[in-house]
Amino acid sequence: MAQADIGVIGLGVMGANLALNIADNGYTVAVYNRTAARTEAFAAEAGRLADRVVASATLEDFVASLKSPRSVIIMVKAGDAVDEQVSALNALMEDGDIIIDAGNANFRDTMRRFEQRAQTAPGLIGMGVSGGAEGARHGPSIMVGGAQDDWRRIEPVVTAIAAKYKGEPCAAWLGENGAGHFVKTIHNGIEYADMQMIAEVYGVMRDHLNMDAPSIASVFSVWASGPLDSYLIDITAEVLKTHDASAGVAIVDVIVDAAGQKGTGRWSVIESQMMGVPATSIEAAVAARSLSAMREERKAAQDRFGLPPMVERREGNAIISDLENALLAGKIAAYAQGFAVMAAASKEFGWGLPLATIARIWRAGCIIRSRFLDEIATAFTENPEAPNLAMTPEFAAMLEKTDAPLRRIVSEAVLNGLPVPALASAVGYFDTYRRARGTANLIQAQRDFFGAHGFARSDMEGEQHGPWGE
Ligand code: 6PG
């Protein structure tokens, strides 16, 4: 009997938690997983929510259990598995129904799926969901792309399950087709940069100031109630103070220093490069993860070169305070870049991405949630045409305060051989961005010299060539 309000396909950690969240909000949820045992286990573990869960062993029964017009959320591994599910559902669902891909899809796949969609097929929504398992269960941040009419239909349930920031749901329709998945990708790119910069600052405290994990945890705990107040700073403090009973040390000290990555950070960089909008801090963070994975090579290089000697070390509160401000400055660079990439993509794909709204729906629920995002939301609301976050009055003032500490930290780290590629990229980005007369005149001359590519002159009109070799 058709009784469920919405369905969820894929009962991995994210799908299962999202289904429970839906049920918790008073909706009846149909569930289906390719492995039937997983579906049964889910239904058995649903506890007090069990009577709002309709579990099916086949896709046909699952679709039949949904009230018409039907809405189905797919939460499976991005890529082929999504195409398989969409085509299986297309055969069972009809015009007026909606398929919602809630995985971390590459937005180009989402765009392709929209293009390939037949006129009379179910509608499609590409929905970015952030917040990990906990967010999926109790309120994630949700970024929606697709037809606005389709959004209107799913809006009540999506806003009900989303995180709330001061009562405002952290879910919004951001534009047509791939807009939601694109914004989720950039969210993750920024997440990479945020995490990398935190790790760099941790590295300075660990390897330069010789602080142990619990002491570093205390510093992060203090920062957690200042301008860096954010989920990532909170969990960093939590992680650093977690003791491992078997090893007798902080668990972080026995975790292998090779970071995984599933692709969203890399996609952010690829898209930023394709549009010619630099996201150097995100790029540095992605590269740092790749370098971290080359453990054997790094070990051989240390054996060959050793570590640089310490040449300078400041002690005490001065450096800790500089580290906090450097992190804030680095964060401004990463977010300015991420938002600039979104602004460019918005034009290129005709989405009309609402930057202030994006900042607003990232204030709670998602991995990068922070006080800082509330400030970004205000800055873009007050300055919707700002070419770069750094040029809004609030952030320009913040940069003026944090610029010198960032420089001091990056200089000290470089002098002492401590890797801070993402923080250093922030210095390079700002210094290049704010210098009206750069050095590309020389590059233009070189290009003209070897390839007659031409250049513009400040004292003449039109394309010019140099008198090379005359
Ligand atoms: C989120 C996270 C989530 C996931 C990433 C991690 O917003 O909830 O970003 O999407 O944790 O897949 O990506 P990596 O495995 O690439 O670090």
Side-chain angles (χ1 to χ4, degrees):
M1 191 184 63
Q3 50 184 315
D5 300 302
I6 186 163
V8 174
I9 293 183
L11 296 173
V13 178
M14 291 297 284
N17 280 320
L18 212 55
L20 291 174
N21 184 355
I22 293 170
D24 224 358
N25 276 284
Y27 294 92
T28 299
V29 62
V31 293
Y32 169 76
N33 195 76
R34 218 170 34 177
T35 324
R38 183 77 207 96
T39 317
E40 281 162 28
F42 174 82
E45 289 157 17
R48 68 180 170 86
L49 298 171
D51 57 353
R52 278 190 227 132
V53 171
V54 184
S56 295
T58 67
L59 194 62
E60 288 75 9
D61 288 350
F62 166 81
V63 172
S65 74
L66 291 160
K67 284 183 206 159
S68 184
R70 309 172 185 91
S71 311
V72 171
I73 296 177
I74 310 179
M75 191 55 115
V76 298
K77 194 168 180 306
D80 294 346
V82 175
D83 286 309
E84 282 159 27
Q85 283 304 335
V86 169
S87 92
L89 285 171
N90 276 341
L92 298 169
M93 292 168 73
E94 48 200 28
D95 199 7
D97 293 346
I98 301 174
I99 300 174
I100 305 152
D101 173 15
N104 266 338
N106 185 319
F107 89 104
R108 291 195 180 268
D109 284 338
T110 308
M111 303 287 269
R112 168 181 55 76
R113 289 180 190 122
F114 270 91
E115 260 169 40
Q116 290 171 346
R117 200 181 83 79
Q119 278 306 313
T120 54
L124 203 57
I125 290 273
M127 187 167 98
V129 177
S130 176
E134 189 61 20
R137 178 66 184 86
H138 298 291
S141 167
I142 303 180
M143 297 143 254
V144 176
Q148 202 167 7
D149 286 349
D150 288 341
W151 157 245
R152 293 276 168 244
R153 291 238 327 271
I154 61 163
E155 187 176 356
V157 54
V158 171
T159 49
I161 63 170
K164 308 289 179 301
Y165 181 86
K166 297 186 178 161
E168 233 184 275
C170 292
W173 176 79
L174 302 174
E176 297 282 329
N177 48 58
H181 278 146
F182 185 86
V183 171
K184 174 68 200 324
T185 297
I186 300 303
H187 165 282
N188 281 27
I190 293 174
E191 173 186 304
Y192 273 51
D194 240 335
M195 293 166 74
Q196 173 63 24
M197 288 175 181
I198 292 173
E200 289 176 8
V201 162
Y202 153 75
V204 172
M205 286 191 261
R206 185 189 67 182
D207 299 330
H208 189 50
L209 304 181
N210 298 322
M211 292 166 66
D212 61 13
S215 318
I216 304 173
S218 310
V219 171
F220 279 106
S221 299
V222 173
W223 291 354
S225 44
L228 291 170
D229 173 6
S230 60
Y231 171 73
L232 282 172
I233 294 287
D234 283 345
I235 65 161
T236 302
E238 201 57 40
V239 162
L240 285 165
K241 64 175 175 238
T242 303
H243 185 78
D244 182 68
S246 67
V249 293
I251 185 146
V252 77
D253 290 336
V254 288
I255 295 180
V256 171
D257 63 333
Q261 49 179 322
K262 294 195 203 74
T264 44
R266 186 179 303 140
W267 298 340
S268 302
V269 176
I270 292 171
E271 296 305 333
S272 77
Q273 291 284 9
M274 301 262 277
M275 287 181 294
V277 178
T280 53
S281 301
I282 299 176
E283 202 173 319
V286 174
R289 283 205 196 183
S290 301
L291 273 164
S292 81
M294 300 176 190
R295 285 185 74 221
E296 290 308 312
E297 274 183 66
R298 287 191 289 116
K299 185 174 175 316
Q302 180 168 340
D303 289 346
R304 169 65 183 81
F305 297 107
L307 292 175
M310 199 208 297
V311 293
E312 180 185 313
R313 183 167 78 193
R314 289 181 294 146
E315 306 278 347
N317 283 342
I319 186 161
I320 297 291
S321 154
D322 269 4
L323 283 169
E324 182 182 19
N325 284 310
L327 201 45
L328 191 56
K331 218 171 144 90
I332 299 173
Y335 284 70
Q337 293 164 10
F339 275 88
V341 171
M342 289 192 287
S346 180
K347 281 202 192 104
E348 178 144 340
F349 298 101
W351 287 325
L353 292 179
L355 299 187
T357 302
I358 293 169
R360 265 199 289 279
I361 64 170
W362 285 353
R363 290 178 304 181
C366 68
I367 303 295
I368 61 172
R369 60 187 183 259
S370 62
R371 180 194 295 190
F372 190 75
L373 274 160
D374 190 38
E375 288 156 1
I376 296 181
T378 309
F380 279 125
T381 304
E382 288 170 4
N383 312 276
E385 301 304 327
N388 188 295
L389 182 66
M391 295 299 282
T392 63
E394 302 79 355
F395 282 85
M398 230 188 267
L399 259 178
E400 269 166 354
K401 263 181 57 192
T402 54
D403 178 70
L406 175 65
R407 263 167 226 292
R408 285 195 290 267
I409 291 300
V410 170
S411 310
E412 194 160 336
V414 171
L415 279 174
N416 291 286
L418 296 151
V420 288
L423 289 173
S425 79
V427 176
Y429 178 76
F430 288 135
D431 282 347
T432 311
Y433 187 73
R434 75 168 181 195
R435 186 163 288 265
R437 170 84 174 147
T439 53
N441 50 326
L442 181 59
I443 292 170
Q444 283 298 80
Q446 291 164 334
R447 290 178 67 242
D448 189 57
F449 188 103
F450 64 65
H453 295 292
F455 51 75
R457 284 179 64 131
S458 50
D459 56 354
M460 284 180 196
E461 291 295 313
E463 188 180 85
Q464 307 293 329
H465 293 280
W468 320 122
E470 259 178 28

